[in-house]
Amino acid sequence: MKTSKSPSAPFELAPLPWKDDALAPLVSANTIRFHYGKHHKGYVDNLNRLVAGNALSELSLEQLVRETANVQAQSAIYNNAAQAWNHDFYWQSLNPGRDMQPSGALKLRIADDFGSYDAFKEQFTAAAMGQFGSGWAWLVVDAGKLKITRTANADTPMAAGKSCLLAIDVWEHAYYLDYQNRRADHVAAVIENLLHWDFAAKQFASAQSDERAL
Ligand code: MN3
């Protein structure tokens, strides 16, 4: 956790958790270089410009997203802050090791809340495919249960207090260089091969301890 912020750039572009070719060929290094180096960086740079000299720059990124959600006058700050947070989260949701599967407590809860791992994958795919235009598909904990949800544009379940476990970016910039318009092929590649179940398990454990603390 940072304790002091740079006045000109209070929000930082966190490094990727793996090398830019780590997900290739399913997600190419070229896609990652544009997606992280141009799109994600663009959101962080815009955000820093928008909050320069503003008390909002003192907040953590998560606090800033929650503070500006649904505030019309701050929609530009919200959109860039939420996209900065969503992308940080998304990179961690992806795992260069292939074919990781849910395990332990999370595996049991997937069976309880979705019926089976296959049913979970079907619902996650349907959410990613059913998002019209730009947005995100999510695995979240909502009122103690695992749920699949989707959000449009920059919106994020985190703003509404839900605990996120995994995200899939379905903006075209996430897949167009590799798959052109074939979102289904990209989504299948991510869900079958790239989901970071150890990260999801860590998020799940922390969501449960947050709930016990309530
Ligand atoms: Mn994106």
Side-chain angles (χ1 to χ4, degrees):
M1 205 62 200
K2 271 184 335 136
T3 52
S4 65
K5 290 185 165 206
S6 151
S8 58
F11 297 98
E12 286 176 352
L13 181 67
L16 285 170
W18 21 254
K19 291 167 104 169
D20 60 11
D21 62 353
L23 309 177
L26 299 174
V27 181
S28 68
N30 198 29
T31 288
I32 295 297
R33 282 195 290 265
F34 274 92
H35 197 174
Y36 171 76
K38 304 284 183 195
H39 293 277
H40 185 181
K41 181 177 188 299
Y43 298 126
V44 175
D45 290 347
N46 287 339
L47 177 61
N48 281 328
R49 255 195 312 276
L50 288 164
V51 299
N54 185 320
L56 289 170
S57 68
E58 300 297 323
L59 299 177
S60 72
L61 184 58
E62 199 167 322
Q63 288 170 326
L64 177 59
V65 169
R66 289 182 169 148
E67 197 70 29
T68 55
N70 307 310
V71 182
Q72 191 56 43
Q74 289 174 334
S75 63
I77 292 176
Y78 169 76
N79 283 332
N80 285 285
Q83 282 294 74
W85 190 89
N86 287 345
H87 283 86
D88 274 342
F89 190 88
Y90 173 60
W91 307 129
Q92 298 179 77
S93 291
L94 300 176
N95 166 43
R98 298 286 190 267
D99 302 327
M100 190 182 262
Q101 302 236 334
S103 61
L106 182 53
K107 181 182 179 176
L108 297 175
R109 284 296 296 277
I110 285 171
D112 280 353
D113 292 345
F114 296 103
S116 68
Y117 180 47
D118 282 344
F120 154 80
K121 289 195 283 188
E122 270 172 38
Q123 283 189 41
F124 208 13
T125 303
M129 293 309 297
Q131 174 54 41
F132 182 77
S134 296
W136 299 82
W138 304 87
L139 174 63
V140 302
V141 182
D142 182 9
K145 281 187 79 102
L146 294 180
K147 285 187 188 145
I148 303 287
T149 187
R150 60 182 196 233
T151 57
N153 301 317
D155 279 339
T156 179
M158 181 273 282
K162 297 187 177 80
S163 303
C164 300
L165 270 53
L166 292 170
I168 303 179
D169 188 340
V170 295
W171 285 58
E172 276 190 345
H173 66 223
Y175 57 86
Y176 205 84
L177 296 175
D178 296 331
Y179 297 87
Q180 288 76 52
N181 61 325
R182 301 189 312 278
R183 184 190 289 188
D185 292 351
H186 172 70
V187 166
V190 171
I191 290 179
E192 289 297 333
N193 300 283
L194 298 177
L195 293 180
H196 201 317
W197 285 106
D198 289 349
F199 173 68
K202 229 169 57 191
Q203 298 298 113
F204 181 58
S206 103
Q208 290 198 304
S209 69
D210 288 351
E211 271 187 14
R212 278 195 295 274
L214 288 177

